[in-house]
Amino acid sequence: MLLSGAATARPAIVYVMRHLQRDAGADPSLNASGQANAARLAAWFGHDRPVAIFVSPYKRARETVGPLAAKLGVAPREYDPRDTANLVADVRAEKGPVLIVGHSSTVPAIVHALGGPEAPELADDDYARIWIVKRGGKSVTVVPLSEKQPR
């Protein structure tokens, strides 16, 4: 019996990150540091660029990917940050690299659901790091946005 490729398909690379530095408030915008890092994110991808971008419905997540999405011509897709299983199913249906922007409380769960190791929630001041999940979680690398994209 042959299994459908769609059931086991998954992108080779999934990038997961927390939104960038924000102002205070209920649904804040990025602050000046966050805006500068959003521009840095747009320039960070030299290869294996995302073909799909998933963001939570919060302003800071959308603003994190704004410059990158504009550069790539990719419309960000919103997901429910309380429904990691549905997000992972949507990500696995994609045919190329994917970027997910989450929050301090969701990034570790997303990485784990993609097959990576369990990790604690991120600290409140933990920004500008990208988890690169490859081969269904068999390889997970964490790279600061200040460093070049690894090959």
Side-chain angles (χ1 to χ4, degrees):
M1 178 166 103
L2 294 175
L3 295 176
S4 167
T8 58
R10 59 181 70 189
I13 301 173
V14 181
Y15 305 98
V16 184
M17 67 181 295
R18 180 186 184 191
H19 62 79
L20 294 167
Q21 297 91 332
R22 60 178 165 73
D23 286 325
D27 187 13
S29 290
L30 297 181
N31 63 22
S33 294
Q35 292 170 7
N37 276 329
R40 186 174 287 126
L41 177 65
W44 190 80
F45 290 95
H47 55 87
D48 296 323
R49 295 180 177 117
V51 299
I53 300 172
F54 291 83
V55 296
S56 74
Y58 297 98
K59 191 183 315 180
R60 57 196 176 270
R62 292 189 310 270
E63 290 177 359
T64 292
V65 300
L68 175 64
K71 179 179 179 178
L72 298 178
V74 174
R77 294 169 44 190
E78 287 190 4
Y79 69 90
D80 181 347
R82 299 165 299 188
D83 190 357
T84 301
N86 192 50
L87 168 64
V88 169
D90 288 346
V91 165
R92 286 185 172 153
E94 293 298 327
K95 301 284 190 254
V98 174
L99 171 63
I100 303 169
V101 177
H103 301 272
S104 60
S105 60
T106 63
V107 165
I110 293 168
V111 170
H112 184 63
L114 290 166
E118 289 189 51
E121 282 189 18
L122 305 179
D124 191 51
D125 62 350
D126 192 349
Y127 295 102
R129 293 193 302 154
I130 301 172
W131 282 253
I132 305 171
V133 182
K134 294 183 178 180
R135 296 184 303 280
K138 290 184 172 73
S139 170
V140 179
T141 307
V142 183
V143 180
L145 186 56
S146 60
E147 292 182 11
K148 291 181 84 171
Q149 180 187 15
R151 285 238 166 238

